[in-house]
Amino acid sequence: MPKLERDGEVFVLHLDPDDENLFHPDRLAGLEAALDEVEGAQGPRALVTAGSGKFWSNGLDLGWLLDHGDQYTGYLDRVHALLARTLASPVVTVAALNGHTFAAGAMWALAHDVRVMRADRGYFCLPEVDLDLPFQRGMSDLIRARLTPRVAHEAMTTGRRYGGGDALAAGIVDEVADHDGLLGRAVERARALAGKTRPVRGQIKETLYAEALASLRTPTAG
């Protein structure tokens, strides 16, 4: 389960170091509760989401979905809500990508304002083409809103795995750092922007990402 700590203006949400940080419903509940706490706090603040193991997040919990197919649409709507909430949040968000960041996990990373990726380990990847999984409209709109058309096309249609240097060159991430400096750099970037967390920032993002947010907030067809 994710664990939320506070360091002055910066909240750090530590993801579970022992698994793939899949979006199991219980983990979604933990993430939602953490966002509630951060958004409800007063004054300058920012959020860093940080992993510490091999994975940052591998996205949808396909194993859980296989066992709960009758809950498919509700589950996807809940994941879409997390993506939309992060994308539109007035709180400054920084993803510290310590390891593999795949599929819906990669989309959640893109919903953050800033991404700092480990330089020597882990990949950013949208592998849906290799899994025979189509992108939901909201997911596609999110990716297109946050990446250039060329990079979105390559990432979505080839399933390319981007290491830290390649991800930086493609504009997928904003900075790379070594293992020991990753979290520190993410916190520094968050702290520098914490004063920008205010209601008007959320309003700006609502209009900036209006198309993607509308798609993400549209209920999944059964």
Side-chain angles (χ1 to χ4, degrees), residues 23-152:
F23 293 148
H24 184 280
D26 291 343
R27 178 167 284 108
L28 287 173
L31 296 175
E32 292 159 356
L35 292 178
D36 287 343
E37 182 174 343
V38 176
E39 291 171 2
Q42 300 298 310
R45 61 202 184 281
L47 173 66
V48 172
T49 51
S52 59
K54 183 177 179 180
F55 301 92
W56 188 77
S57 175
N58 269 1
L60 300 184
D61 191 334
L62 298 179
W64 184 89
L65 268 177
L66 283 175
D67 293 334
H68 301 83
D70 59 323
Q71 300 181 50
Y72 173 80
T73 58
Y75 174 78
L76 277 186
D77 287 346
R78 194 171 179 186
V79 172
H80 289 168
L82 174 66
L83 300 179
R85 183 176 185 178
T86 306
L87 183 63
S89 178
V91 176
V92 171
T93 54
V94 180
L97 306 179
N98 58 287
H100 296 320
T101 304
F102 274 51
M107 298 173 210
W108 188 39
L110 290 176
H112 287 65
D113 295 306
V114 178
R115 284 158 300 286
V116 182
M117 186 173 181
R118 182 170 167 178
D120 62 338
R121 181 180 179 184
Y123 293 103
F124 177 100
C125 180
L126 297 170
E128 280 75 4
V129 66
D130 297 316
L131 299 175
D132 290 326
L133 293 173
F135 288 91
Q136 296 291 319
R137 175 62 183 270
M139 294 177 170
S140 180
D141 287 346
L142 166 63
I143 295 164
R144 292 189 302 107
R146 297 294 280 148
L147 299 178
T148 66
R150 179 186 67 80
V151 174

Side-chain angles (χ1 to χ4, degrees), residues 5-12 44-48 186-187 190-192 194:
E5 297 179 342
R6 185 168 189 174
D7 178 9
E9 306 98 329
V10 179
F11 288 85
V12 180
R45 61 202 184 281
L47 173 66
V48 172
V187 169
R191 200 180 307 282

